Short mmCIF file of all heavy atoms in Angstrom, two decimals:
data_model
loop_
_atom_site.label_atom_id
_atom_site.label_comp_id
_atom_site.label_asym_id
_atom_site.label_seq_id
_atom_site.Cartn_x
_atom_site.Cartn_y
_atom_site.Cartn_z
N MET A 22 15.85 68.72 -18.43
CA MET A 22 17.08 69.47 -18.30
C MET A 22 18.04 69.20 -19.46
O MET A 22 18.92 69.98 -19.69
CB MET A 22 17.77 69.11 -16.98
CG MET A 22 17.01 69.51 -15.73
SD MET A 22 16.92 71.27 -15.45
CE MET A 22 18.59 71.65 -15.08
N ALA A 23 17.84 68.11 -20.18
CA ALA A 23 18.78 67.77 -21.24
C ALA A 23 18.33 68.25 -22.62
O ALA A 23 18.94 67.92 -23.62
CB ALA A 23 18.99 66.26 -21.26
N LEU A 24 17.27 69.02 -22.67
CA LEU A 24 16.75 69.48 -23.96
C LEU A 24 17.76 70.41 -24.65
O LEU A 24 18.41 71.21 -24.00
CB LEU A 24 15.44 70.25 -23.81
CG LEU A 24 14.20 69.43 -23.51
CD1 LEU A 24 13.01 70.38 -23.27
CD2 LEU A 24 13.88 68.50 -24.64
N THR A 25 17.84 70.27 -25.96
CA THR A 25 18.64 71.17 -26.79
C THR A 25 17.72 71.75 -27.84
O THR A 25 16.59 71.28 -28.03
CB THR A 25 19.81 70.43 -27.47
OG1 THR A 25 19.28 69.43 -28.35
CG2 THR A 25 20.73 69.79 -26.44
N TRP A 26 18.20 72.77 -28.56
CA TRP A 26 17.37 73.36 -29.60
C TRP A 26 17.00 72.36 -30.67
O TRP A 26 15.94 72.46 -31.29
CB TRP A 26 18.07 74.58 -30.22
CG TRP A 26 18.10 75.75 -29.29
CD1 TRP A 26 19.21 76.38 -28.79
CD2 TRP A 26 16.98 76.44 -28.75
NE1 TRP A 26 18.83 77.41 -27.97
CE2 TRP A 26 17.46 77.48 -27.93
CE3 TRP A 26 15.61 76.29 -28.87
CZ2 TRP A 26 16.64 78.35 -27.24
CZ3 TRP A 26 14.77 77.16 -28.18
CH2 TRP A 26 15.28 78.18 -27.37
N ASP A 27 17.83 71.37 -30.91
CA ASP A 27 17.51 70.32 -31.91
C ASP A 27 16.28 69.52 -31.49
O ASP A 27 15.64 68.89 -32.33
CB ASP A 27 18.69 69.39 -32.11
CG ASP A 27 19.85 70.05 -32.81
OD1 ASP A 27 19.61 71.05 -33.53
OD2 ASP A 27 20.99 69.60 -32.64
N ASP A 28 15.94 69.50 -30.21
CA ASP A 28 14.80 68.74 -29.71
C ASP A 28 13.48 69.50 -29.88
O ASP A 28 12.41 68.92 -29.73
CB ASP A 28 14.99 68.41 -28.22
CG ASP A 28 16.20 67.52 -27.98
OD1 ASP A 28 16.47 66.66 -28.83
OD2 ASP A 28 16.88 67.73 -26.98
N ILE A 29 13.56 70.79 -30.17
CA ILE A 29 12.35 71.63 -30.30
C ILE A 29 11.98 71.71 -31.76
O ILE A 29 12.80 72.11 -32.60
CB ILE A 29 12.58 73.04 -29.72
CG1 ILE A 29 13.10 72.97 -28.29
CG2 ILE A 29 11.30 73.87 -29.84
CD1 ILE A 29 12.18 72.33 -27.29
N ASP A 30 10.75 71.37 -32.10
CA ASP A 30 10.24 71.48 -33.46
C ASP A 30 9.22 72.61 -33.49
O ASP A 30 8.09 72.45 -33.01
CB ASP A 30 9.60 70.17 -33.92
CG ASP A 30 9.23 70.18 -35.38
OD1 ASP A 30 8.97 71.28 -35.95
OD2 ASP A 30 9.19 69.09 -35.98
N PHE A 31 9.64 73.75 -34.00
CA PHE A 31 8.76 74.93 -34.01
C PHE A 31 7.61 74.77 -35.00
O PHE A 31 6.57 75.40 -34.85
CB PHE A 31 9.56 76.20 -34.33
CG PHE A 31 10.45 76.61 -33.18
CD1 PHE A 31 11.78 76.24 -33.13
CD2 PHE A 31 9.93 77.36 -32.13
CE1 PHE A 31 12.59 76.63 -32.08
CE2 PHE A 31 10.72 77.74 -31.06
CZ PHE A 31 12.06 77.36 -31.03
N ASP A 32 7.78 73.92 -36.02
CA ASP A 32 6.70 73.71 -37.01
C ASP A 32 5.53 72.92 -36.41
O ASP A 32 4.37 73.23 -36.67
CB ASP A 32 7.23 72.98 -38.25
CG ASP A 32 8.22 73.83 -39.02
OD1 ASP A 32 8.09 75.07 -39.00
OD2 ASP A 32 9.13 73.23 -39.64
N THR A 33 5.86 71.91 -35.60
CA THR A 33 4.80 71.07 -35.03
C THR A 33 4.44 71.45 -33.58
O THR A 33 3.49 70.94 -33.03
CB THR A 33 5.22 69.59 -35.05
OG1 THR A 33 6.39 69.41 -34.26
CG2 THR A 33 5.45 69.11 -36.47
N GLY A 34 5.25 72.32 -32.98
CA GLY A 34 5.01 72.73 -31.58
C GLY A 34 5.28 71.63 -30.59
O GLY A 34 4.57 71.51 -29.60
N THR A 35 6.31 70.85 -30.85
CA THR A 35 6.62 69.71 -29.97
C THR A 35 8.06 69.75 -29.50
O THR A 35 8.92 70.39 -30.11
CB THR A 35 6.40 68.36 -30.70
OG1 THR A 35 7.25 68.30 -31.84
CG2 THR A 35 4.95 68.19 -31.08
N ALA A 36 8.31 69.05 -28.42
CA ALA A 36 9.66 68.83 -27.90
C ALA A 36 9.90 67.32 -27.84
O ALA A 36 9.05 66.58 -27.33
CB ALA A 36 9.82 69.44 -26.53
N GLN A 37 11.02 66.87 -28.37
CA GLN A 37 11.37 65.47 -28.34
C GLN A 37 12.12 65.17 -27.04
O GLN A 37 13.14 65.79 -26.75
CB GLN A 37 12.26 65.09 -29.53
CG GLN A 37 11.60 65.22 -30.86
CD GLN A 37 10.46 64.24 -31.02
OE1 GLN A 37 10.51 63.10 -30.56
NE2 GLN A 37 9.41 64.68 -31.70
N ILE A 38 11.58 64.25 -26.27
CA ILE A 38 12.25 63.82 -25.04
C ILE A 38 13.00 62.53 -25.40
O ILE A 38 12.40 61.48 -25.62
CB ILE A 38 11.23 63.55 -23.91
CG1 ILE A 38 10.29 64.72 -23.73
CG2 ILE A 38 11.96 63.17 -22.62
CD1 ILE A 38 10.94 66.03 -23.38
N ASN A 39 14.33 62.63 -25.48
CA ASN A 39 15.11 61.47 -25.93
C ASN A 39 16.43 61.30 -25.16
O ASN A 39 17.27 60.49 -25.53
CB ASN A 39 15.38 61.56 -27.43
CG ASN A 39 16.01 62.88 -27.83
OD1 ASN A 39 16.60 63.55 -27.00
ND2 ASN A 39 15.86 63.25 -29.07
N LYS A 40 16.61 62.11 -24.13
CA LYS A 40 17.81 61.98 -23.29
C LYS A 40 17.52 62.57 -21.93
O LYS A 40 16.51 63.23 -21.74
CB LYS A 40 19.01 62.66 -23.97
CG LYS A 40 18.80 64.10 -24.34
CD LYS A 40 19.95 64.56 -25.22
CE LYS A 40 19.68 65.90 -25.85
NZ LYS A 40 18.61 65.90 -26.82
N SER A 41 18.39 62.30 -20.99
CA SER A 41 18.22 62.84 -19.65
C SER A 41 19.57 63.31 -19.11
O SER A 41 20.62 63.00 -19.69
CB SER A 41 17.62 61.78 -18.72
OG SER A 41 18.49 60.68 -18.59
N MET A 42 19.54 64.01 -18.03
CA MET A 42 20.75 64.51 -17.41
C MET A 42 20.89 63.87 -16.03
O MET A 42 19.89 63.66 -15.34
CB MET A 42 20.68 66.04 -17.26
CG MET A 42 21.94 66.65 -16.75
SD MET A 42 21.97 68.44 -16.84
CE MET A 42 20.69 68.86 -15.69
N ALA A 43 22.12 63.56 -15.68
CA ALA A 43 22.37 62.95 -14.37
C ALA A 43 23.61 63.54 -13.75
O ALA A 43 24.56 63.93 -14.48
CB ALA A 43 22.51 61.44 -14.50
N ARG A 44 23.62 63.62 -12.44
CA ARG A 44 24.82 64.08 -11.72
C ARG A 44 25.57 62.86 -11.22
O ARG A 44 25.01 61.99 -10.58
CB ARG A 44 24.39 64.96 -10.55
CG ARG A 44 25.54 65.61 -9.80
CD ARG A 44 25.07 66.43 -8.63
NE ARG A 44 24.00 67.33 -8.99
CZ ARG A 44 24.15 68.65 -9.17
NH1 ARG A 44 25.34 69.18 -9.00
NH2 ARG A 44 23.12 69.38 -9.48
N THR A 45 26.85 62.81 -11.54
CA THR A 45 27.70 61.71 -11.09
C THR A 45 28.86 62.28 -10.29
O THR A 45 28.99 63.51 -10.17
CB THR A 45 28.27 60.92 -12.31
OG1 THR A 45 29.19 61.77 -13.00
CG2 THR A 45 27.17 60.46 -13.25
N GLN A 46 29.70 61.44 -9.78
CA GLN A 46 30.88 61.90 -9.05
C GLN A 46 31.80 62.70 -9.96
O GLN A 46 32.54 63.56 -9.51
CB GLN A 46 31.64 60.71 -8.46
CG GLN A 46 30.91 60.03 -7.33
CD GLN A 46 31.66 58.84 -6.78
OE1 GLN A 46 32.60 58.35 -7.40
NE2 GLN A 46 31.25 58.38 -5.63
N ASP A 47 31.74 62.41 -11.26
CA ASP A 47 32.61 63.11 -12.23
C ASP A 47 31.98 64.41 -12.74
O ASP A 47 32.58 65.11 -13.52
CB ASP A 47 32.94 62.19 -13.40
CG ASP A 47 33.73 60.98 -12.97
OD1 ASP A 47 34.54 61.11 -12.04
OD2 ASP A 47 33.54 59.91 -13.56
N GLY A 48 30.74 64.67 -12.38
CA GLY A 48 30.05 65.87 -12.86
C GLY A 48 28.71 65.51 -13.48
O GLY A 48 28.18 64.41 -13.29
N ILE A 49 28.19 66.44 -14.25
CA ILE A 49 26.89 66.23 -14.89
C ILE A 49 27.11 65.59 -16.27
O ILE A 49 27.99 65.98 -17.04
CB ILE A 49 26.16 67.57 -15.04
CG1 ILE A 49 25.83 68.10 -13.64
CG2 ILE A 49 24.91 67.44 -15.88
CD1 ILE A 49 25.25 69.49 -13.62
N ILE A 50 26.29 64.57 -16.55
CA ILE A 50 26.38 63.87 -17.84
C ILE A 50 25.01 63.86 -18.51
O ILE A 50 23.97 63.94 -17.84
CB ILE A 50 26.90 62.42 -17.69
CG1 ILE A 50 25.94 61.59 -16.82
CG2 ILE A 50 28.31 62.40 -17.14
CD1 ILE A 50 26.20 60.10 -16.87
N ILE A 51 25.02 63.77 -19.83
CA ILE A 51 23.80 63.59 -20.61
C ILE A 51 23.79 62.13 -21.04
O ILE A 51 24.78 61.59 -21.54
CB ILE A 51 23.80 64.50 -21.86
CG1 ILE A 51 23.97 65.96 -21.46
CG2 ILE A 51 22.54 64.28 -22.68
CD1 ILE A 51 22.86 66.53 -20.61
N LYS A 52 22.65 61.47 -20.82
CA LYS A 52 22.57 60.03 -21.13
C LYS A 52 21.22 59.75 -21.80
O LYS A 52 20.36 60.62 -21.89
CB LYS A 52 22.73 59.20 -19.88
CG LYS A 52 21.67 59.48 -18.81
CD LYS A 52 21.94 58.66 -17.56
CE LYS A 52 20.74 58.76 -16.64
NZ LYS A 52 20.74 57.74 -15.64
N THR A 53 21.05 58.55 -22.26
CA THR A 53 19.78 58.15 -22.87
C THR A 53 18.71 58.04 -21.80
O THR A 53 19.01 57.97 -20.60
CB THR A 53 19.91 56.80 -23.60
OG1 THR A 53 20.33 55.81 -22.67
CG2 THR A 53 20.92 56.89 -24.74
N THR A 54 17.47 58.00 -22.22
CA THR A 54 16.38 57.82 -21.26
C THR A 54 16.43 56.41 -20.69
O THR A 54 17.14 55.53 -21.21
CB THR A 54 15.02 58.07 -21.96
OG1 THR A 54 14.91 57.22 -23.08
CG2 THR A 54 14.86 59.52 -22.38
N LYS A 55 15.67 56.19 -19.63
CA LYS A 55 15.71 54.89 -18.94
C LYS A 55 15.38 53.73 -19.87
O LYS A 55 15.95 52.65 -19.78
CB LYS A 55 14.75 54.88 -17.75
CG LYS A 55 15.23 55.73 -16.61
CD LYS A 55 14.27 55.62 -15.45
CE LYS A 55 14.70 56.51 -14.31
NZ LYS A 55 13.78 56.46 -13.18
N ASN A 56 14.38 53.93 -20.73
CA ASN A 56 14.00 52.86 -21.68
C ASN A 56 13.40 53.49 -22.93
O ASN A 56 13.14 54.68 -22.97
CB ASN A 56 13.05 51.85 -21.03
CG ASN A 56 11.87 52.53 -20.37
OD1 ASN A 56 11.21 53.34 -21.00
ND2 ASN A 56 11.63 52.20 -19.12
N ARG A 57 13.19 52.68 -23.94
CA ARG A 57 12.70 53.18 -25.23
C ARG A 57 11.32 53.84 -25.10
O ARG A 57 11.03 54.79 -25.80
CB ARG A 57 12.61 52.06 -26.26
CG ARG A 57 13.95 51.44 -26.64
CD ARG A 57 14.85 52.40 -27.27
NE ARG A 57 14.92 52.28 -28.73
CZ ARG A 57 15.63 53.13 -29.42
NH1 ARG A 57 16.26 54.12 -28.83
NH2 ARG A 57 15.71 53.03 -30.71
N SER A 58 10.51 53.34 -24.20
CA SER A 58 9.16 53.91 -24.06
C SER A 58 9.20 55.30 -23.42
O SER A 58 8.22 56.04 -23.48
CB SER A 58 8.26 52.97 -23.25
OG SER A 58 8.75 52.82 -21.94
N SER A 59 10.34 55.68 -22.85
CA SER A 59 10.48 57.02 -22.28
C SER A 59 10.69 58.07 -23.36
O SER A 59 10.43 59.25 -23.15
CB SER A 59 11.66 57.06 -21.31
OG SER A 59 11.43 56.24 -20.22
N ASP A 60 11.18 57.64 -24.54
CA ASP A 60 11.35 58.56 -25.67
C ASP A 60 9.96 58.94 -26.18
O ASP A 60 9.14 58.07 -26.46
CB ASP A 60 12.14 57.91 -26.79
CG ASP A 60 13.60 57.70 -26.43
OD1 ASP A 60 13.98 58.05 -25.32
OD2 ASP A 60 14.35 57.21 -27.29
N ARG A 61 9.71 60.25 -26.29
CA ARG A 61 8.39 60.68 -26.71
C ARG A 61 8.43 62.11 -27.21
O ARG A 61 9.40 62.82 -26.96
CB ARG A 61 7.39 60.57 -25.56
CG ARG A 61 7.77 61.45 -24.37
CD ARG A 61 7.11 60.97 -23.09
NE ARG A 61 7.45 61.78 -21.94
CZ ARG A 61 8.55 61.66 -21.21
NH1 ARG A 61 9.45 60.78 -21.54
NH2 ARG A 61 8.75 62.42 -20.16
N ALA A 62 7.38 62.51 -27.88
CA ALA A 62 7.20 63.90 -28.28
C ALA A 62 6.13 64.50 -27.39
O ALA A 62 5.10 63.91 -27.15
CB ALA A 62 6.78 63.98 -29.74
N VAL A 63 6.41 65.69 -26.87
CA VAL A 63 5.48 66.39 -26.00
C VAL A 63 4.99 67.64 -26.73
O VAL A 63 5.82 68.42 -27.21
CB VAL A 63 6.16 66.80 -24.68
CG1 VAL A 63 5.21 67.57 -23.79
CG2 VAL A 63 6.68 65.56 -23.95
N VAL A 64 3.69 67.78 -26.84
CA VAL A 64 3.11 68.96 -27.46
C VAL A 64 3.17 70.11 -26.47
O VAL A 64 2.72 69.97 -25.32
CB VAL A 64 1.66 68.69 -27.92
CG1 VAL A 64 1.06 69.94 -28.51
CG2 VAL A 64 1.61 67.54 -28.90
N LEU A 65 3.73 71.23 -26.90
CA LEU A 65 3.86 72.39 -26.04
C LEU A 65 2.81 73.44 -26.40
O LEU A 65 2.48 73.61 -27.57
CB LEU A 65 5.26 73.00 -26.20
CG LEU A 65 6.43 72.08 -25.83
CD1 LEU A 65 7.75 72.73 -26.14
CD2 LEU A 65 6.35 71.70 -24.36
N PRO A 66 2.30 74.15 -25.41
CA PRO A 66 1.30 75.20 -25.69
C PRO A 66 1.91 76.31 -26.58
O PRO A 66 3.13 76.54 -26.54
CB PRO A 66 0.96 75.77 -24.31
CG PRO A 66 1.46 74.76 -23.33
CD PRO A 66 2.57 74.02 -24.00
N ALA A 67 1.07 76.95 -27.35
CA ALA A 67 1.52 78.00 -28.24
C ALA A 67 2.28 79.11 -27.49
O ALA A 67 3.28 79.62 -27.98
CB ALA A 67 0.32 78.60 -28.99
N ALA A 68 1.82 79.46 -26.30
CA ALA A 68 2.50 80.49 -25.51
C ALA A 68 3.93 80.06 -25.16
O ALA A 68 4.86 80.87 -25.18
CB ALA A 68 1.71 80.80 -24.24
N CYS A 69 4.10 78.80 -24.84
CA CYS A 69 5.43 78.28 -24.54
C CYS A 69 6.32 78.31 -25.77
O CYS A 69 7.50 78.69 -25.70
CB CYS A 69 5.32 76.85 -23.98
SG CYS A 69 6.87 76.12 -23.50
N MET A 70 5.75 77.92 -26.90
CA MET A 70 6.53 77.94 -28.14
C MET A 70 6.95 79.37 -28.50
O MET A 70 8.08 79.58 -28.95
CB MET A 70 5.72 77.32 -29.28
CG MET A 70 5.49 75.83 -29.14
SD MET A 70 6.99 74.85 -28.97
CE MET A 70 7.75 75.13 -30.56
N GLU A 71 6.08 80.33 -28.26
CA GLU A 71 6.42 81.73 -28.52
C GLU A 71 7.55 82.20 -27.62
O GLU A 71 8.49 82.87 -28.07
CB GLU A 71 5.19 82.62 -28.31
CG GLU A 71 5.45 84.10 -28.49
CD GLU A 71 5.95 84.48 -29.87
OE1 GLU A 71 5.61 83.80 -30.84
OE2 GLU A 71 6.70 85.48 -29.95
N LEU A 72 7.51 81.83 -26.34
CA LEU A 72 8.59 82.18 -25.41
C LEU A 72 9.91 81.54 -25.82
O LEU A 72 10.96 82.16 -25.79
CB LEU A 72 8.24 81.76 -23.98
CG LEU A 72 7.19 82.62 -23.29
CD1 LEU A 72 6.78 81.96 -21.96
CD2 LEU A 72 7.72 84.02 -23.04
N LEU A 73 9.85 80.27 -26.23
CA LEU A 73 11.07 79.59 -26.69
C LEU A 73 11.63 80.26 -27.93
O LEU A 73 12.85 80.44 -28.06
CB LEU A 73 10.76 78.11 -26.98
CG LEU A 73 10.63 77.21 -25.77
CD1 LEU A 73 10.13 75.83 -26.19
CD2 LEU A 73 11.96 77.09 -25.05
N HIS A 74 10.75 80.65 -28.84
CA HIS A 74 11.19 81.30 -30.07
C HIS A 74 11.90 82.63 -29.75
O HIS A 74 12.98 82.91 -30.26
CB HIS A 74 9.98 81.53 -30.98
CG HIS A 74 10.34 82.17 -32.29
ND1 HIS A 74 11.05 81.51 -33.25
CD2 HIS A 74 10.07 83.40 -32.77
CE1 HIS A 74 11.22 82.31 -34.28
NE2 HIS A 74 10.64 83.47 -34.03
N ARG A 75 11.28 83.43 -28.86
CA ARG A 75 11.89 84.70 -28.47
C ARG A 75 13.22 84.49 -27.75
O ARG A 75 14.18 85.23 -27.95
CB ARG A 75 10.93 85.51 -27.60
CG ARG A 75 9.86 86.20 -28.43
CD ARG A 75 9.12 87.21 -27.61
NE ARG A 75 7.91 86.56 -27.09
CZ ARG A 75 7.25 86.93 -26.04
NH1 ARG A 75 7.66 87.96 -25.32
NH2 ARG A 75 6.15 86.31 -25.66
N HIS A 76 13.26 83.47 -26.89
CA HIS A 76 14.50 83.18 -26.16
C HIS A 76 15.61 82.75 -27.12
O HIS A 76 16.77 83.16 -26.96
CB HIS A 76 14.26 82.09 -25.11
CG HIS A 76 15.49 81.72 -24.35
ND1 HIS A 76 16.11 82.58 -23.48
CD2 HIS A 76 16.22 80.57 -24.34
CE1 HIS A 76 17.18 81.98 -22.97
NE2 HIS A 76 17.26 80.77 -23.48
N ARG A 77 15.27 81.96 -28.10
CA ARG A 77 16.27 81.51 -29.09
C ARG A 77 16.85 82.69 -29.86
O ARG A 77 18.04 82.76 -30.09
CB ARG A 77 15.65 80.47 -30.03
CG ARG A 77 16.69 79.83 -30.93
CD ARG A 77 16.10 78.71 -31.73
NE ARG A 77 17.18 77.98 -32.38
CZ ARG A 77 17.00 77.10 -33.33
NH1 ARG A 77 15.77 76.82 -33.73
NH2 ARG A 77 17.99 76.49 -33.88
N ILE A 78 15.98 83.62 -30.25
CA ILE A 78 16.45 84.80 -30.97
C ILE A 78 17.37 85.62 -30.07
O ILE A 78 18.45 86.06 -30.51
CB ILE A 78 15.25 85.64 -31.47
CG1 ILE A 78 14.53 84.90 -32.60
CG2 ILE A 78 15.70 87.02 -31.93
CD1 ILE A 78 13.20 85.51 -32.99
N ALA A 79 16.95 85.84 -28.82
CA ALA A 79 17.78 86.60 -27.88
C ALA A 79 19.13 85.91 -27.65
O ALA A 79 20.18 86.59 -27.57
CB ALA A 79 17.04 86.78 -26.56
N GLN A 80 19.11 84.59 -27.58
CA GLN A 80 20.34 83.84 -27.35
C GLN A 80 21.28 84.02 -28.55
O GLN A 80 22.48 84.20 -28.40
CB GLN A 80 20.01 82.36 -27.13
CG GLN A 80 21.20 81.52 -26.78
CD GLN A 80 20.82 80.06 -26.58
OE1 GLN A 80 20.30 79.44 -27.49
NE2 GLN A 80 21.07 79.54 -25.39
N LYS A 81 20.74 83.95 -29.77
CA LYS A 81 21.56 84.13 -30.97
C LYS A 81 22.14 85.53 -31.02
O LYS A 81 23.32 85.71 -31.36
CB LYS A 81 20.74 83.85 -32.22
CG LYS A 81 20.47 82.37 -32.45
CD LYS A 81 19.67 82.15 -33.72
CE LYS A 81 19.44 80.68 -33.96
NZ LYS A 81 18.72 80.44 -35.22
N LYS A 82 21.35 86.54 -30.67
CA LYS A 82 21.85 87.93 -30.65
C LYS A 82 22.98 88.06 -29.63
O LYS A 82 23.99 88.73 -29.88
CB LYS A 82 20.72 88.89 -30.33
CG LYS A 82 19.77 89.11 -31.48
CD LYS A 82 18.68 90.11 -31.08
CE LYS A 82 17.70 90.32 -32.24
NZ LYS A 82 16.62 91.25 -31.85
N HIS A 83 22.79 87.46 -28.48
CA HIS A 83 23.84 87.52 -27.43
C HIS A 83 25.13 86.87 -27.91
O HIS A 83 26.23 87.42 -27.69
CB HIS A 83 23.33 86.85 -26.15
CG HIS A 83 24.33 86.85 -25.04
ND1 HIS A 83 24.66 87.99 -24.34
CD2 HIS A 83 25.09 85.86 -24.54
CE1 HIS A 83 25.59 87.68 -23.44
NE2 HIS A 83 25.86 86.40 -23.55
N ARG A 84 25.01 85.72 -28.54
CA ARG A 84 26.22 85.04 -29.05
C ARG A 84 26.94 85.90 -30.09
O ARG A 84 28.18 85.92 -30.12
CB ARG A 84 25.85 83.68 -29.63
CG ARG A 84 25.57 82.65 -28.59
CD ARG A 84 25.36 81.29 -29.21
NE ARG A 84 25.16 80.31 -28.16
CZ ARG A 84 24.71 79.10 -28.36
NH1 ARG A 84 24.36 78.71 -29.58
NH2 ARG A 84 24.56 78.27 -27.36
N LEU A 85 26.16 86.57 -30.96
CA LEU A 85 26.79 87.45 -31.94
C LEU A 85 27.51 88.63 -31.27
O LEU A 85 28.58 89.04 -31.69
CB LEU A 85 25.74 87.96 -32.94
CG LEU A 85 25.26 86.98 -33.98
CD1 LEU A 85 24.11 87.59 -34.78
CD2 LEU A 85 26.39 86.57 -34.91
N ALA A 86 26.89 89.17 -30.23
CA ALA A 86 27.49 90.31 -29.52
C ALA A 86 28.77 89.90 -28.79
O ALA A 86 29.73 90.66 -28.74
CB ALA A 86 26.48 90.90 -28.55
N VAL A 87 28.77 88.71 -28.20
CA VAL A 87 29.91 88.25 -27.44
C VAL A 87 31.05 87.80 -28.36
O VAL A 87 32.23 87.97 -28.04
CB VAL A 87 29.51 87.08 -26.49
CG1 VAL A 87 30.70 86.47 -25.83
CG2 VAL A 87 28.50 87.56 -25.47
N GLY A 88 30.73 87.24 -29.49
CA GLY A 88 31.75 86.76 -30.40
C GLY A 88 32.17 85.34 -30.09
O GLY A 88 31.57 84.65 -29.26
N SER A 89 33.24 84.92 -30.67
CA SER A 89 33.70 83.53 -30.53
C SER A 89 34.51 83.30 -29.26
O SER A 89 34.85 82.17 -28.95
CB SER A 89 34.53 83.12 -31.75
OG SER A 89 35.66 83.95 -31.85
N TYR A 90 34.82 84.35 -28.53
CA TYR A 90 35.59 84.21 -27.32
C TYR A 90 34.80 83.40 -26.30
O TYR A 90 35.19 82.54 -25.67
CB TYR A 90 35.94 85.56 -26.73
CG TYR A 90 36.76 85.45 -25.45
CD1 TYR A 90 38.09 85.06 -25.49
CD2 TYR A 90 36.17 85.73 -24.22
CE1 TYR A 90 38.80 84.95 -24.34
CE2 TYR A 90 36.92 85.61 -23.07
CZ TYR A 90 38.24 85.23 -23.13
OH TYR A 90 38.97 85.13 -21.98
#
């Protein structure tokens, strides 16, 4: 749940798992993983990478259409 576009490497087809999300009394926070061994790179299938690529393009187009508001 804490993945960002910076965690996705389209050249190698991997996602870096280096943080996690938690719900607290104050709301949702992003924090480090439980331990260093939890940090890892996960190889994603080509179909998943293609979907992510298309989603990223659609997201950028949407942001351009909406503007800075």
Side-chain angles (χ1 to χ4, degrees):
M22 295 290 292
L24 286 175
T25 62
W26 288 119
D27 290 336
D28 298 323
I29 307 298
D30 187 333
F31 288 96
D32 294 329
T33 61
T35 60
Q37 295 295 323
I38 309 300
N39 53 22
K40 55 191 168 294
S41 63
M42 185 170 66
R44 185 182 310 256
T45 68
Q46 290 179 345
D47 297 326
I49 295 173
I50 62 168
I51 304 297
K52 60 182 191 164
T53 59
T54 55
K55 288 182 182 179
N56 51 52
R57 295 298 258 176
S58 63
S59 296
D60 290 1
R61 61 201 179 278
V63 177
V64 177
L65 300 174
C69 182
M70 292 303 296
E71 177 60 30
L72 286 171
L73 284 171
H74 182 69
R75 282 193 264 157
H76 179 66
R77 188 172 190 193
I78 290 170
Q80 186 180 59
K81 285 181 179 183
K82 285 181 181 179
H83 180 73
R84 283 186 177 167
L85 285 173
V87 173
S89 61
Y90 180 73

